Amino acid sequence: MQSYTIGQAARLLGVSPDTARRWADAGRVATHRDEAGRRLIDGRALAAFSIEVAQGAHTEDGETYTSARNAFPGIVTAVKLGDVAAQVEFQAGPHRLVSLLTREAVDELGLQVGMRATARVKSTSVHIDRA
């Protein structure tokens, strides 16, 4: 079974290494030490914990994010406007998403760089590459 360092786990969870370390110290996710003394998290434990973290995600107002598995709360990082179409870039933790939509939709939503938003992805097929 693959294990992950605190830093690797933090990147996969979309949090800082300090946050991942605090969660491990609090016993929210089990760790063990390797021969070099590094703290590691078992892959299965990290997978289960990532689901727990996602289900417990809350906004600053305390409202729960949508339960849809394809919702990515994050921040708008770029908006490129054309005459009819627009391209919006979005960062959700370690994930960068790019959306092509109408300029009218961008204007109606008032999308601007630095704004919090949620990207939703709907697809009939999802491809997974092994790391």
Side-chain angles (χ1 to χ4, degrees), residues 51-103:
I51 293 168
E52 177 187 324
V53 168
Q55 289 174 340
H58 291 80
T59 66
E60 290 176 11
D61 302 327
E63 294 180 30
T64 302
Y65 289 122
T66 180
S67 63
R69 294 183 208 175
N70 57 352
F72 297 88
I75 189 168
V76 175
T77 57
V79 177
K80 298 174 186 169
L81 298 173
D83 291 335
V84 176
Q87 178 178 315
V88 177
E89 295 183 25
F90 188 84
Q91 195 69 36
H95 308 291
R96 176 179 170 262
L97 295 100
V98 178
S99 178
L100 301 176
L101 57 163
T102 65
R103 180 187 178 127

Side-chain angles (χ1 to χ4, degrees):
M1 174 54 57
Q2 182 165 355
S3 293
Y4 297 88
T5 65
I6 295 287
Q8 291 170 326
R11 280 190 297 281
L12 292 169
L13 294 168
V15 298
S16 72
D18 285 338
T19 297
R21 208 170 285 111
R22 281 192 301 274
W23 287 344
D25 291 344
R28 289 190 61 192
V29 62
T31 63
H32 63 278
R33 299 222 179 242
D34 67 3
E35 312 80 46
R38 295 180 305 168
R39 290 198 317 178
L40 300 175
I41 301 171
D42 174 75
R44 289 189 186 277
L46 182 59
F49 183 66
S50 70
I51 293 168
E52 177 187 324
V53 168
Q55 289 174 340
H58 291 80
T59 66
E60 290 176 11
D61 302 327
E63 294 180 30
T64 302
Y65 289 122
T66 180
S67 63
R69 294 183 208 175
N70 57 352
F72 297 88
I75 189 168
V76 175
T77 57
V79 177
K80 298 174 186 169
L81 298 173
D83 291 335
V84 176
Q87 178 178 315
V88 177
E89 295 183 25
F90 188 84
Q91 195 69 36
H95 308 291
R96 176 179 170 262
L97 295 100
V98 178
S99 178
L100 301 176
L101 57 163
T102 65
R103 180 187 178 127
E104 180 181 7
V106 171
D107 291 341
E108 284 179 8
L109 291 170
L111 294 177
Q112 299 175 13
V113 172
M115 167 183 260
R116 288 186 313 153
T118 299
R120 299 188 191 279
V121 179
K122 180 160 176 27
S123 176
T124 57
S125 66
V126 176
H127 300 267
I128 298 174
D129 295 333
R130 183 175 170 179

